Amino acid sequence: MYHGLYEIKSNIKLTDNVFEMVICGDTSSIKAAGQFINIKLDGFYLRRPISICDFEDGEITIIYKVVGDGTDALSRMTAGGKLDVLCGLGNGFDTSKSGEKPVLIGGGVGVPPMYNLCKRLISEGKTVTVILGFNTKSEIFYEDKFRALGADARVTTVDGSYGTKGFVTDELKNIDYTYFYTCGPMPMFRAIESIATTSGQYSFEERMGCGFGACMGCSCKTKYGNKRICKDGPVLTREEIIW
């Protein structure tokens, strides 16, 4: 974990309430796709945990949805501003288990951590399919960026306004895959669990107090004992999860 001040390079709107922010600072503590940062905002007691979409030496990209006062304040920050950040938190995805044809499944704001994971798997020579699930066409982001990496990117919308009508599972049942990785809401996880044919890894979203395992506020039971989503997760394997 690294703690420091990061400078905002850009903060742009992707959809009506989804923003992409690039911050500059130390990235040495980031070891795997699926880790997250924890941002302190002036006037707010708890930090805001946000998954890392992508990173390279000295830059981190995050994508966040405005859902409350904290993220609204974040959306109004501009280039040149400074953020107090805890970086390199959590246990990310393990790419060694992917097999040759992994499928990545992102639902809404669960899409961002799939991006760096996709980049890593493709660099390892894997054939990657990505399913991006949204409610409607106006909410879609990053479809072209996944394709630019070389992935087979497929989009589902609940209302059928773009791509496959329905849910991510309506597309998953049509794909031949060796392993799955996913991030998104719990109802999506339960639907995936009901039809998935291989092992996989789930990245959980959970309310966090500290973000680094000290407060025990995000503990959950697994088949192998209690685990902290912020420290032992947010990524858990299919085999250890109690549904």
Side-chain angles (χ1 to χ4, degrees):
M1 180 180 72
Y2 173 82
H3 177 212
L5 288 178
Y6 289 68
E7 181 173 335
I8 299 172
K9 180 179 180 180
S10 61
N11 191 21
I12 63 172
K13 182 183 286 190
L14 297 180
T15 70
D16 284 345
N17 59 357
V18 174
F19 288 74
E20 177 194 75
M21 177 182 282
V22 179
I23 59 175
C24 301
D26 194 301
T27 56
S28 61
S29 60
I30 307 172
K31 305 300 183 184
Q35 289 183 280
F36 66 96
I37 64 174
N38 220 0
I39 302 173
K40 179 175 175 54
L41 296 169
D42 290 341
F44 296 90
Y45 179 67
L46 292 178
R47 291 176 177 268
R48 266 56 186 177
I50 300 178
S51 61
I52 296 168
C53 174
D54 197 18
F55 69 95
E56 53 187 357
D57 189 27
E59 283 191 1
I60 299 170
T61 300
I62 60 172
I63 294 175
Y64 61 95
K65 183 177 182 179
V66 176
V67 294
D69 292 340
T71 44
D72 179 61
L74 192 62
S75 73
R76 289 184 273 107
M77 299 187 73
T78 57
K82 297 292 199 311
L83 289 173
D84 181 315
V85 175
L86 296 175
C87 184
L89 300 176
N91 175 41
F93 293 107
D94 181 355
T95 62
S96 69
K97 300 179 180 182
S98 71
E100 293 303 309
K101 296 184 292 182
V103 60
L104 281 51
I105 311 161
V109 288
V111 167
M114 298 293 104
Y115 183 75
N116 185 261
L117 175 61
C118 181
K119 182 185 289 189
R120 287 179 174 232
L121 288 167
I122 287 175
S123 73
E124 293 172 4
K126 309 301 172 60
T127 300
V128 180
T129 302
V130 181
I131 306 173
L132 311 175
F134 300 94
N135 289 316
T136 189
K137 183 177 180 179
S138 64
E139 297 179 356
I140 297 169
F141 61 88
Y142 263 53
E143 176 190 6
D144 291 342
K145 290 202 172 189
F146 279 101
R147 289 208 175 100
L149 292 178
D152 175 9
R154 309 185 186 191
V155 177
T156 67
T157 52
V158 176
D159 65 2
S161 55
Y162 186 88
T164 299
K165 177 178 173 58
F167 301 98
V168 294
T169 45
D170 293 307
E171 192 62 45
L172 180 61
K173 64 187 180 183
N174 300 321
I175 296 171
D176 177 28
Y177 57 96
T178 54
Y179 198 83
F180 70 86
Y181 298 89
T182 184
C183 182
M186 188 60 73
M188 186 186 88
F189 283 178
R190 293 186 185 279
I192 292 171
E193 183 65 17
S194 70
I195 70 162
T197 58
T198 70
S199 182
Q201 296 171 35
Y202 293 86
S203 179
F204 284 83
E205 300 170 345
E206 187 66 52
R207 286 188 175 275
M208 299 178 186
C210 67
F212 51 86
C215 73
M216 306 300 289
C218 60
S219 293
C220 67
K221 290 182 179 180
T222 76
K223 294 177 182 177
Y224 309 118
N226 289 331
K227 290 196 174 183
R228 298 157 294 180
I229 293 299
C230 71
K231 180 75 173 178
D232 306 308
V235 177
L236 300 177
T237 61
R238 184 182 191 185
E239 290 75 19
E240 65 186 309
I241 299 167
I242 299 174
W243 296 98

